[in-house]
Amino acid sequence: MTLQQRELVHQILRDAPFDLGGDVEAQRPLLEQMLTSQPMPDDVRVTRGELGGVPVVFVDIDGVDARGTLFHAHGGGFAVGSARGSVGLASAIARKTGLRAVSVDYRLAPEHPYPSALQDVTAAYRALVAQSGGADRVIVSGESAGGNLAIELLIAARDAGLPLPPASVLFSPMTDLTVAGASFAAKADADPNITATAIRRRAHDYLDGTGTSADDPRVSPIFADLQGLPPLLVQAGSHEVLLDDATRLAVKAAADDVAVILDVTPGVPHVFQAFAGLLDEGESALERAARYITDRLAASAVRPPADALVGAATGQPS
Amino acid sequence: MTLQQRELVHQILRDAPFDLGGDVEAQRPLLEQMLTSQPMPDDVRVTRGELGGVPVVFVDIDGVDARGTLFHAHGGGFAVGSARGSVGLASAIARKTGLRAVSVDYRLAPEHPYPSALQDVTAAYRALVAQSGGADRVIVSGESAGGNLAIELLIAARDAGLPLPPASVLFSPMTDLTVAGASFAAKADADPNITATAIRRRAHDYLDGTGTSADDPRVSPIFADLQGLPPLLVQAGSHEVLLDDATRLAVKAAADDVAVILDVTPGVPHVFQAFAGLLDEGESALERAARYITDRLAASAVRPPADALVGAATGQPS
């Protein structure tokens, strides 16, 4: 159906000067330029600010009285990318869901290896939850390495007893820093812009000198205990070497009794939703993600808060 | 949220006299009684008939001008169960989608081992497609062993050049007759009514004397080439030993560039959708399945038929 659209996106990615596995100093401005080259719609308002001392970008759609917040972690292999670069994707979801988006400018590797990024995301989330009086109106999302941070944030929040959001949405999450997915080989010819070598370099940047191994559950969530996590939507394209990172996360979540939907679109690349304007499949996937978010927020709204349930069960005032 | 509901369903299944691994002569009436013990709503009309010489049950909702057909294969390990026993689930989907349902009384093992059931399902599908003038308004569904038959039907239809439906919906499909899923051990304590031993006995009934091995892609679709199959929705519960049959089918479909959604509900058993009347999670899952079907039918309706595209591309009249 959209073969021409897919070929165009494939060509754009093949021809782009950006190389995820390249030198970070050279690659950061290239990715920034690529992600911000398209003008934003006039009604998208981007504001710099901070949450918990961490720089963030707030994204509002003019005229939308936001009913909650999309808390987003951008992609870029922990080493490149920025909150500003993720505004295209974050604003598209904000528009479709009636949410405000906030995207976190977490510190980047190799200058700031693990756990700097996760600390930043967690601090910003903690501040957002405090400001919001809970997490009932918060959706956690992330793309690529940001999907890794989003899941690790949920695990850290669970373990710290922080309120958990009613759902999380992960776009092509990077979940295994041992780079063991069979799709690295199986999809190498189909993926226009990512390689196992690139992922290994970025994983090295994130972990080198930290004493944390690539199979540590705090950096590779497929090795983590996911029990107690909120419902997850995991989207991926079948033409990406990171496909198995997505599928294995979903399979682990299912095994750990987490409500999970894995949604794979054939023939499209890594974080294809960022090309929603060019690609029908991207637009459709964002529509499904928005519907998922809307459904989960509605379910959260009709459910009494956990504290009230505990209070009722113990006979204590809630 | 629905812990009490889940415990009730768990208890019903634990206490039920039906044993999937038992002697078929004794088990067939027990399952039939269990599945037909609840009265149907007054507006559900069940009619016996045939398609392609194969006995089927037609399920219509009074007052619904059906806009297509749900073609359903019932469960029961290839050896028990019946089209009549599947009317509860099939009619619930028919009601939510505005479709007519047809459920196939395929021949059962061990009296009729492979490929009898698949031949029957394929013959009935071929007749339905011929009567319907195509498959654009047909959705193929199946539960448990019927999910196996549904996928194998799609593969057979693809290979025979038959029209393919715009989507297929699989409830807890049994996809690996080698019984190799890790969930057979991991979920043994959580699953109230199915065991690896039971599945092995039914797989033996289906295959014994046929010369077909359990890892043959014609009986275990996780070993099949799934390329070219229509979009799939795979639903499963996290409290079933067959969980990995569902997840591995979805993962294989994704690897083979099939549009696939895997939708896992935590804490619920095999084909929990059959308990939609008792279990909120069952009702929610059916709602998602119905929305998926409705979306796929709508997408199919706006898409020109494949023949027209071929005609246009080659300049020949379509």
Side-chain angles (χ1 to χ4, degrees):
Chain A
M1 270 248 297
T2 63
L3 187 59
Q4 284 172 316
Q5 293 179 349
R6 291 201 303 268
E7 283 174 355
L8 174 63
V9 168
H10 191 91
Q11 187 186 331
I12 289 171
L13 289 168
R14 278 266 192 237
D15 295 349
F18 171 68
D19 171 13
L20 179 63
D23 181 74
V24 292
E25 293 301 330
Q27 297 305 319
R28 283 173 186 162
L30 289 173
L31 180 62
E32 195 72 6
Q33 190 177 7
M34 186 171 138
L35 289 174
T36 58
S37 61
Q38 298 295 318
M40 281 294 135
D42 286 345
D43 63 350
V44 174
R45 203 154 15 92
V46 178
T47 320
R48 295 199 175 272
E50 61 85 24
L51 276 173
V54 178
V56 301
V57 166
F58 294 104
V59 184
D60 293 272
I61 311 293
D62 281 343
V64 172
D65 184 18
R67 56 184 181 144
T69 304
L70 183 81
F71 182 88
H72 186 72
H74 69 79
F78 306 104
V80 298
S82 70
R84 178 62 188 81
S86 71
V87 168
L89 181 59
S91 66
I93 303 166
R95 183 184 302 278
K96 289 177 190 296
T97 55
L99 297 175
R100 159 180 244 198
V102 54
S103 186
V104 184
D105 259 325
Y106 54 83
R107 284 169 290 169
L108 298 179
E111 299 91 329
H112 304 280
Y114 173 82
S116 298
L118 185 56
Q119 285 172 341
D120 288 353
V121 169
T122 305
Y125 177 78
R126 190 185 285 270
L128 175 65
V129 168
Q131 288 179 16
S132 309
D136 278 5
R137 314 302 292 163
V138 176
I139 299 291
V140 169
S141 66
E143 37 173 325
S144 195
N148 178 303
L149 293 170
I151 285 283
E152 294 293 356
L153 163 63
L154 296 175
I155 294 170
R158 175 199 66 189
D159 293 347
L162 284 174
L164 292 172
S168 181
V169 178
L170 308 158
F171 303 101
S172 301
M174 186 187 302
T175 65
D176 173 17
L177 300 196
T178 73
V179 196
S183 53
F184 279 107
K187 299 292 183 178
D189 290 342
D191 191 318
N193 66 328
I194 301 186
T195 64
T197 304
I199 299 293
R200 275 196 203 97
R201 180 161 186 193
R202 295 288 82 96
H204 180 266
D205 284 349
Y206 191 52
L207 299 175
D208 188 39
T210 66
T212 304
S213 66
D215 63 353
D216 189 300
R218 293 167 300 178
V219 299
S220 291
I222 59 161
F223 303 117
D225 176 1
L226 303 178
Q227 288 181 69
L229 258 54
L232 308 177
L233 172 65
V234 183
Q235 291 189 338
S238 83
H239 277 189
E240 55 171 315
V241 294
L242 286 163
L243 174 62
D244 285 11
D245 277 45
T247 61
R248 286 180 299 156
L249 179 71
V251 168
K252 183 63 163 71
D256 287 353
D257 295 314
V258 174
V260 59
I261 292 177
L262 169 71
D263 175 345
V264 178
T265 299
V268 296
H270 191 59
V271 198
F272 64 97
Q273 297 86 349
F275 294 92
L278 295 173
L279 189 66
D280 290 348
E281 285 91 341
E283 178 67 17
S284 298
L286 284 183
E287 285 290 340
R288 293 194 298 277
R291 203 150 67 168
Y292 179 81
I293 289 170
T294 302
D295 284 354
R296 297 312 311 166
L297 285 173
S300 167
V302 298
R303 191 177 59 195
D307 285 353
L309 284 174
V310 171
T314 59
Q316 296 166 354
S318 62
Chain B
M1 270 251 293
T2 62
L3 187 59
Q4 286 173 314
Q5 294 179 349
R6 292 203 301 267
E7 284 175 354
L8 174 63
V9 167
H10 191 91
Q11 186 186 329
I12 289 171
L13 289 167
R14 279 265 192 237
D15 295 349
F18 171 67
D19 170 13
L20 179 63
D23 181 74
V24 291
E25 292 301 330
Q27 297 306 319
R28 283 173 187 163
L30 288 174
L31 180 61
E32 194 73 6
Q33 190 177 6
M34 186 171 137
L35 289 173
T36 59
S37 62
Q38 298 295 318
M40 280 295 133
D42 285 345
D43 62 351
V44 174
R45 201 153 17 91
V46 178
T47 320
R48 294 196 176 274
E50 62 84 25
L51 276 173
V54 178
V56 302
V57 166
F58 293 103
V59 184
D60 293 273
I61 311 292
D62 281 343
V64 172
D65 184 17
R67 56 186 182 142
T69 304
L70 183 82
F71 182 87
H72 187 72
H74 69 80
F78 307 104
V80 298
S82 70
R84 178 64 188 80
S86 71
V87 168
L89 180 59
S91 66
I93 303 165
R95 182 184 303 278
K96 289 177 190 298
T97 55
L99 297 176
R100 161 181 241 198
V102 54
S103 186
V104 184
D105 260 325
Y106 54 82
R107 284 170 290 169
L108 298 179
E111 299 92 326
H112 304 280
Y114 173 82
S116 298
L118 185 56
Q119 285 173 341
D120 289 354
V121 169
T122 305
Y125 177 77
R126 190 185 285 270
L128 174 66
V129 168
Q131 287 178 17
S132 308
D136 278 5
R137 313 303 291 161
V138 175
I139 299 291
V140 169
S141 66
E143 35 172 328
S144 194
N148 178 303
L149 293 171
I151 285 284
E152 293 293 355
L153 163 63
L154 296 175
I155 294 169
R158 176 199 65 189
D159 294 346
L162 285 173
L164 292 172
S168 180
V169 178
L170 309 158
F171 304 101
S172 301
M174 186 186 302
T175 65
D176 174 16
L177 300 195
T178 72
V179 196
S183 53
F184 280 108
K187 299 293 183 177
D189 290 342
D191 191 319
N193 66 329
I194 300 186
T195 65
T197 305
I199 299 293
R200 277 196 201 98
R201 179 161 186 195
R202 296 287 81 98
H204 180 266
D205 284 349
Y206 190 53
L207 299 176
D208 189 38
T210 66
T212 304
S213 66
D215 63 354
D216 189 301
R218 294 168 298 177
V219 299
S220 290
I222 60 162
F223 303 117
D225 176 2
L226 302 178
Q227 287 182 70
L229 258 54
L232 309 177
L233 171 65
V234 183
Q235 291 189 337
S238 83
H239 276 189
E240 55 170 314
V241 293
L242 286 162
L243 174 61
D244 284 11
D245 277 46
T247 61
R248 286 180 299 156
L249 179 71
V251 169
K252 183 64 164 71
D256 287 355
D257 294 314
V258 174
V260 60
I261 293 178
L262 169 70
D263 175 345
V264 178
T265 299
V268 295
H270 190 58
V271 197
F272 63 98
Q273 298 85 349
F275 294 92
L278 296 173
L279 188 66
D280 289 350
E281 285 91 340
E283 178 67 17
S284 298
L286 285 182
E287 285 289 343
R288 292 194 299 277
R291 204 150 67 169
Y292 178 82
I293 289 169
T294 302
D295 284 353
R296 297 311 311 165
L297 285 172
S300 167
V302 298
R303 193 177 56 196
D307 285 353
L309 284 175
V310 171
T314 59
Q316 297 165 353
S318 61

